[in-house]
Amino acid sequence: VGLGGLAAYLIGRELGSDSAQTMAFATVALAELAFVFSCRSATEPPWRLPRNRYLLGAVGASAALLGAVIYLPFLQEPFSTDALGLLETGTVLGFAAFPATATELAKALARRRNDAR
């Protein structure tokens, strides 16, 4: 998660964007929100687990608050954020997805290894 945030920040700086700090913040926040689904089981993927409406609601509300802090002008100043463009948002989403994706790949490999035994 931390490396994803750092990478988003560095790419934001290379883009010459004033929103590098916002990119790092959004990447870390979204990565944690995505990763929480992978943490529900050490072996099973999230789509094979029973739905947890409270978790879905909490993640949805947190994502909405993050979006508000980034895109609503009256919240940008107190939180020191900048609105992200399409390229910046894509970068954030890509790096934010990495920890959960890596975890799910590791779980799939472990299941495959256990099934081969």
Side-chain angles (χ1 to χ4, degrees), residues 24-39:
F25 167 63
T27 299
V28 169
L30 288 176
E32 292 292 348
L33 292 176
F35 187 64
V36 71
F37 293 104
S38 292
C39 293

Side-chain angles (χ1 to χ4, degrees), residues 2-56:
L3 287 175
L6 176 62
Y9 177 80
L10 293 174
I11 288 174
R13 281 187 37 195
E14 286 300 313
L15 293 173
S17 171
D18 289 338
S19 54
Q21 184 174 338
T22 301
M23 289 174 66
F25 167 63
T27 299
V28 169
L30 288 176
E32 292 292 348
L33 292 176
F35 187 64
V36 71
F37 293 104
S38 292
C39 293
R40 290 186 64 212
S41 170
T43 57
E44 294 299 317
W47 54 89
R48 290 191 183 153
L49 299 172
R51 295 213 184 245
N52 182 333
R53 292 181 301 163
Y54 298 109
L55 179 62
L56 290 172

Side-chain angles (χ1 to χ4, degrees), residues 63-105:
L65 287 171
L66 177 64
V69 164
I70 293 172
Y71 291 106
L72 294 179
F74 68 92
L75 291 176
Q76 289 175 333
E77 185 178 334
F79 285 94
S80 298
T81 59
D82 295 312
L84 300 178
L86 191 58
L87 178 61
E88 295 158 327
T89 301
T91 301
V92 165
L93 293 174
F95 284 115
F98 182 76
T101 303
T103 301
E104 292 308 317
L105 286 173

Side-chain angles (χ1 to χ4, degrees), residues 43 102-116:
T43 57
T103 301
E104 292 308 317
L105 286 173
K107 288 196 286 188
L109 289 173
R111 281 192 307 274
R112 181 177 234 163
R113 202 173 315 127
N114 287 338
D115 290 344

